[in-house]
Amino acid sequence: MGADSSGRNMRRVFADSAFWIARRDLDDPRHDLAAEIAQWLVLHRYTLVATPFIFAETHAYFSGNSELKEFIIDDFWENPSVQIDQPTHRDQMDAIALLRRFPDKTYPFADAVSFVVMKRLQIDQVVTFDRQSPQFGEFAVIHHIPAYEFYNV
């Protein structure tokens, strides 16, 4: 895994909008779990990767709450543990091809772009609570942290 020039470990996990929403929405039934997962990821020096599409979905969810919108902006754009990857035109075209290849799947364009970006960046884990990510089948989905993993690293 190695380290980057700042000495940070190069462990990366893709963070989906369902994770970010649960992390900031106190009324979300998975809020405490998302906070625990976030704590674990930071403790273990993971970089959370997202795209502007994930930011847009998350920001839109909180559009009626100016305080939470500001938290979301800071979470994505001011947090040294977060890397925003700008999808390329090729990524987006590959996502369109993916949607056409699997019309029976229910994942939206933003998720298809996420899958393509994850493959390009060689990220094999996604933290999410949605049902679309497991449909892709190529990534380990982090939606809980077993106690033995959380406390014994």
Side-chain angles (χ1 to χ4, degrees):
M1 276 187 234
D4 67 14
S5 60
S6 69
R8 279 187 57 87
N9 197 321
M10 292 295 289
R11 295 182 193 187
R12 295 184 298 178
V13 60
F14 194 88
D16 186 61
S17 57
F19 165 75
W20 292 107
I21 290 167
R23 174 71 184 95
R24 287 297 178 197
D25 184 350
L26 298 176
D27 294 328
D28 189 297
R30 300 154 307 190
H31 172 76
D32 291 340
L33 176 59
E36 188 173 283
I37 291 170
Q39 178 185 7
W40 187 89
L41 291 169
V42 169
L43 179 69
H44 292 89
R45 302 187 67 186
Y46 276 80
T47 296
L48 283 71
V49 178
T51 66
F53 293 113
I54 299 302
F55 168 74
E57 287 181 329
T58 307
H59 189 263
Y61 180 86
F62 294 107
S63 64
N65 184 320
S66 59
E67 183 179 342
L68 284 176
K69 282 193 312 186
E70 189 59 35
F71 275 125
I72 296 304
I73 291 169
D74 288 346
D75 284 345
F76 280 81
W77 301 101
E78 304 296 331
N79 186 336
S81 295
V82 176
Q83 171 192 334
I84 303 296
D85 185 84
Q86 182 65 49
T88 65
H89 179 72
R90 177 79 263 153
D91 290 337
Q92 294 175 68
M93 296 310 297
D94 288 349
I96 293 293
L98 187 65
L99 294 173
R100 288 182 170 153
R101 192 171 343 135
F102 300 107
D104 59 317
K105 303 298 184 190
T106 61
Y107 45 77
F109 177 71
D111 286 352
V113 170
S114 297
F115 302 149
V116 170
V117 167
M118 288 174 65
K119 286 183 81 162
R120 175 172 49 80
L121 297 177
Q122 300 179 336
I123 296 172
D124 61 1
Q125 298 179 85
V126 58
V127 58
T128 187
F129 299 110
D130 74 17
R131 294 185 174 149
Q132 286 82 24
S133 293
Q135 291 181 42
F136 198 66
E138 293 186 31
F139 308 106
V141 178
I142 299 171
H143 49 75
H144 71 284
I145 296 179
Y148 70 87
E149 285 185 16
F150 191 77
Y151 296 107
N152 296 321
V153 174

